Amino acid sequence: MFRKFTDFPRGTLYDILQDAYSYDSRNKGIWDENWQESDDFFYNNPDIADQYGLVTCIADIPIGFVTWDPRHRPEYVEIGHNGIREQYKRKGYGHLQLEEAIRRIRKYEGLRRIIVCTNSNLAAPKNYESVGFQLCDRKPNHTESAYTGDFLYYEIIL
């Protein structure tokens, strides 16, 4: 069910993100450059991609992925992009994907916290809470993505 980024061609992450956020056309306009930069970064750095992320598959078809940034260890590891293709949402795959990422992250010796930021008007807060994240801060969103709701900051204290 979980595979390495290098098992798939360049553009896979971008394609999944574009699909995962297709429920609102404004998302592509705001995030398209970031999605492409993320895809480029991971495919230009396969050693990082395969160590700090995973691709969720059904019958070898990539349906989602999650990445994390370990550079602030041992203080914290931050969840980065975390998405599931639209047709596979609300079927438990996002929960399984996040559980697997957390299982892998917990292996870092001496790690104190796992953190993530998301928005209040998305389904993501419930998913993060379902795997043990606790809300630790909330800030108004005054950016062009304000329609996605306030910024929510979550953490798991280890």
Side-chain angles (χ1 to χ4, degrees):
M1 173 167 238
F2 303 110
R3 305 245 321 255
K4 300 182 302 184
F5 284 103
T6 54
D7 291 343
F8 302 97
R10 181 180 291 272
T12 299
L13 279 69
Y14 175 83
D15 185 57
I16 291 170
L17 285 169
Q18 188 172 253
D19 186 88
Y21 289 94
S22 64
Y23 62 86
D24 190 315
S25 61
R26 295 175 286 186
N27 290 325
K28 184 168 173 46
I30 293 169
W31 297 106
D32 192 68
E33 186 176 333
N34 175 276
W35 297 339
Q36 188 62 60
E37 287 172 359
S38 294
D39 189 89
D40 288 343
F41 174 81
F42 283 106
Y43 283 96
N44 289 341
N45 299 280
D47 53 325
I48 293 172
D50 288 346
Q51 194 170 5
Y52 304 116
L54 59 90
V55 179
T56 302
C57 299
I58 296 177
D60 295 328
I61 298 168
I63 65 158
F65 77 93
V66 60
T67 62
W68 55 91
D69 183 346
R71 292 177 294 175
H72 299 284
R73 288 180 302 176
E75 182 59 36
Y76 65 88
V77 167
E78 183 171 9
I79 301 287
H81 283 298
N82 178 29
I84 295 287
R85 291 183 186 278
E86 190 65 30
Q87 78 179 78
Y88 296 98
K89 290 181 179 179
R90 294 166 295 284
K91 297 180 184 195
Y93 297 115
H95 180 86
L96 292 173
Q97 175 173 282
L98 194 52
E99 277 185 329
E100 179 63 16
I102 290 169
R103 185 188 70 73
R104 294 181 186 194
I105 293 167
R106 283 180 180 270
K107 290 182 178 180
Y108 298 132
E109 198 167 313
L111 185 63
R112 294 184 189 104
R113 297 179 300 143
I114 305 170
I115 66 170
V116 69
C117 177
T118 190
N119 297 90
S120 61
N121 291 345
L122 305 178
K126 288 182 183 175
N127 193 28
Y128 290 117
E129 291 168 6
S130 78
V131 297
F133 279 93
Q134 300 282 322
L135 184 65
C136 59
D137 199 5
R138 181 183 194 120
K139 294 181 181 168
N141 181 352
H142 298 296
T143 71
E144 61 184 323
S145 70
Y147 62 92
T148 61
D150 291 344
F151 293 115
L152 301 179
Y153 299 87
Y154 284 93
E155 67 182 1
I156 292 176
I157 298 176
L158 303 173

